[in-house]
Amino acid sequence: MSTTLITGGTVVTASGTQDADVLVEGEKIAMVLARRPGVEVTMAADRIIDATGKYVLPGGIDVHTHMEMPFGGTFSVDTFETGTRAAAWGGTTTIVDFAVQAKGTSLLATLDKWHAKADGNCAIDYGFHMIVSDVNDTTLKEMEACVSAGVNSFKMFMAYPGVFYATDGEILLAMQQAARLGATICMHAENGIAIDQLVAQALAAGRTDPVYHGLTRPPELEGEATSRAITLAAVAACPLYIVHLSASQALAAVAQARDTGQNVFAETCPQYLYLSLDDLARPDFEGAKFVASPPLRPREHQDSLWRGLRTNDLSVVSTDHCPFCFKDGKELGRGDFSKIPNGMPGVEHRMDLLHQGVVAGQLSLPRWVEVASTTPARMFGLYPRKGVIAAGSDADIVIYDPQATQTLSAATHHMNVDYSAYEGMQITGRVVTTLSRGSVVIDDGEYLGRAGHGTFLARGLNQYLL
Ligand SMILES: [Zn+2]
């Protein structure tokens, strides 16, 4: 079995920092050995990585990505191969992507289809959530088989009528079934019925620019849907995870539910922490680059999201990575913002962007690791295999240089998309080395991984439930 010794670094986990060396044997972490002044311990290894002055982190876990997701006859432009490679460049070693049930199809056939897309193509490990868009007796029955197959989180939509939208009654049925199975319902919480009316009114009035994507999806309608989802989950006694929370109204609803002890959790995404409605309003259709749902919010929401991350009312930061090129993709919506493909690239930059929160004093170092790796692992049944630097865990390890600087740009990123949402942004900190199950995938500006190294992760249940 080949061994790797990572020496001289500062191991950062959700529980704190420690000057320690990490011994990797094969695919697993064999030992974490604290360094003490005056005590010299020598360990032999096939390969030594000098991490002096660097952080040694558990690999990032991005629980919300959409690789090659079908959308209006086309697909999001990162494949499982290009998307997982880009993730590794940014220090993410696990993704949980969404299999998408089309109306009239079965969950199990959908799962097979997604396995076929990902199998043999991923640079890092991956799991799946299941998007439920057709609630019927077969679907409800198949949810149990999905859980047995390691897919125990089901995403539903209160938005997108006619596509993914589920009625409150359908949501309740799926929640009751999830509750029986111990599974978690993930919710896109926006009131799509009301939003569709606002969109129609805007278009009728000739308001077609990208900024109206934001203005026709007001934060109040995210707050309302979030509250409604929480109420339905309470009635069904079902664990609920609000995806891509963007608005302070929604955060208030989540905080209130958590204060009463309900099993309600939420994630936000870097775009809601760093970008705003002002970006959607950029002139000459550039705003289309920032069209995603929920939309970017007025700047004042950002402070409450950072606060929510500190208080744990927001437990996770994922990316909702769903890239469409500007040329021939976003441009489909020139003259009608409602036709702009919804989604933004981001899988590569989550760890770096959150590190800016550490640099700016908005997050502690352990909290950075917690929201980006440890909590996602616990929330979606991957811990302690993933999400921690400890003996017995997978050797998914990132060596991070907190002093290095970089400039984000489409010219240098590795995502398969022709623009960066953060073009020109200066970042302090950078990934030096990424290991996935003991194999070096990224090292000092070089990709050393391979498609097919990444394996499917059958996940357990949410570990925050009693
Ligand atoms: Zn999404």
Side-chain angles (χ1 to χ4, degrees):
M1 206 184 305
S2 106
T3 52
T4 302
L5 182 64
I6 302 167
T7 61
T10 302
V11 172
V12 185
T13 66
S15 49
T17 61
Q18 188 181 34
D19 290 331
D21 297 344
V22 179
L23 180 67
V24 173
E25 273 179 10
E27 299 195 342
K28 301 281 184 188
I29 295 170
M31 199 190 298
V32 180
L33 190 70
R35 290 191 305 278
R36 281 183 294 156
V39 181
E40 187 98 355
V41 179
T42 41
M43 283 191 281
D46 302 326
R47 178 195 176 111
I48 309 266
I49 299 176
D50 181 6
T52 303
K54 316 237 171 30
Y55 298 148
V56 179
L57 317 169
I61 300 177
D62 190 344
V63 294
H64 192 151
T65 67
H66 301 279
M67 305 304 174
E68 48 192 293
M69 188 193 79
F71 178 90
T74 171
F75 292 88
S76 61
V77 292
D78 262 318
T79 61
F80 279 91
E81 182 171 353
T82 65
T84 56
R85 204 191 297 153
W89 274 101
T92 287
T93 52
T94 300
I95 61 164
V96 185
D97 204 271
F98 290 87
V100 186
Q101 180 197 27
K103 286 220 191 288
T105 66
S106 90
L107 296 186
L108 293 176
T110 301
L111 189 54
D112 285 347
K113 208 163 151 185
W114 256 260
H115 274 301
K117 285 174 193 253
D119 188 26
N121 292 320
C122 294
I124 55 166
D125 290 350
Y126 60 96
F128 294 124
H129 310 280
M130 178 61 70
I131 287 179
V132 174
S133 59
D134 198 349
V135 177
N136 55 47
D137 289 346
T138 313
T139 295
L140 292 171
K141 215 169 287 161
E142 283 184 333
M143 284 171 69
E144 185 166 4
C146 286
V147 169
S148 306
V151 176
N152 43 50
S153 39
F154 299 90
K155 184 180 178 188
M156 303 189 79
F157 290 78
M158 304 168 97
Y160 304 124
V163 190
F164 295 126
Y165 175 82
T167 66
D168 289 356
E170 290 165 342
I171 289 168
L172 185 75
L173 288 175
M175 283 179 165
Q176 288 172 331
Q177 177 68 335
R180 274 180 217 116
L181 300 170
T184 297
I185 293 289
C186 302
M187 188 63 74
H188 181 133
E190 282 188 293
N191 184 328
I193 301 287
I195 286 168
D196 270 12
Q197 297 302 328
L198 296 175
V199 169
Q201 287 169 357
L203 291 174
R207 297 178 181 129
T208 61
D209 288 343
V211 71
Y212 290 102
H213 170 77
L215 297 174
T216 55
R217 309 179 81 94
E220 289 81 0
L221 293 181
E222 186 186 340
E224 182 277 329
T226 303
S227 299
R228 186 155 38 98
I230 287 167
T231 302
L232 292 168
V235 170
C238 172
L240 175 68
Y241 179 88
I242 303 291
V243 296
H244 48 44
L245 187 149
S246 72
S248 52
Q249 289 88 338
L251 179 58
V254 167
Q256 193 190 16
R258 289 175 63 79
D259 285 349
T260 66
Q262 197 178 334
N263 281 317
V264 171
F265 311 92
E267 66 177 18
T268 189
C269 311
Q271 55 268 36
Y272 303 117
L273 296 166
Y274 285 101
L275 303 170
S276 75
L277 191 65
D278 297 345
D279 294 295
L280 263 177
R282 289 196 203 183
D284 303 325
F285 197 65
E286 204 199 338
K289 294 176 179 173
F290 304 92
V291 167
S293 295
L296 301 182
R297 300 301 186 187
R299 230 162 236 297
E300 56 266 25
H301 291 263
Q302 293 173 358
D303 282 347
S304 40
L305 298 182
W306 283 110
R307 191 173 59 244
L309 281 174
R310 285 194 296 276
T311 61
N312 203 34
D313 287 322
L314 292 171
S315 309
V316 170
V317 178
S318 70
T319 61
D320 195 11
H321 175 75
C322 189
F324 294 97
C325 283
F326 186 73
K327 197 176 160 24
D328 300 330
K330 294 285 185 181
E331 283 180 331
L332 298 171
R334 265 191 207 275
D336 179 350
F337 68 85
S338 73
K339 296 206 164 62
I340 300 169
N342 274 221
M344 286 172 58
V347 74
E348 188 170 346
H349 299 313
R350 185 181 62 120
M351 300 297 282
D352 286 330
L353 288 165
L354 284 174
H355 184 248
Q356 302 321 291
V358 177
V359 171
Q362 288 155 306
L363 290 181
S364 70
L365 208 45
R367 184 65 180 156
W368 171 44
V369 169
E370 189 166 40
V371 300
S373 177
T374 312
T375 299
R378 287 185 166 142
M379 190 74 69
F380 293 104
L382 292 167
Y383 188 90
R385 180 170 174 193
K386 307 289 191 188
V388 65
I389 302 270
S393 295
D394 279 359
D396 289 4
I397 300 173
V398 171
I399 297 168
Y400 196 84
D401 182 349
Q403 312 293 344
T405 55
Q406 55 173 319
T407 304
L408 302 187
S409 171
T412 49
H413 73 201
H414 304 86
M415 299 176 286
N416 186 31
V417 60
D418 64 0
Y419 75 94
S420 172
Y422 305 96
E423 187 65 43
M425 184 170 171
Q426 305 282 323
I427 295 278
T428 300
R430 134 168 256 153
V431 170
V432 181
T433 306
T434 303
L435 284 88
S436 164
R437 295 193 336 273
S439 295
V440 177
V441 180
I442 301 294
D443 192 35
D444 212 5
E446 221 184 321
Y447 175 72
L448 302 173
R450 64 175 176 86
H453 165 78
T455 59
F456 172 71
L457 300 167
R459 297 180 291 107
L461 299 177
N462 185 326
Q463 294 167 4
Y464 288 102
L465 311 178
L466 294 175

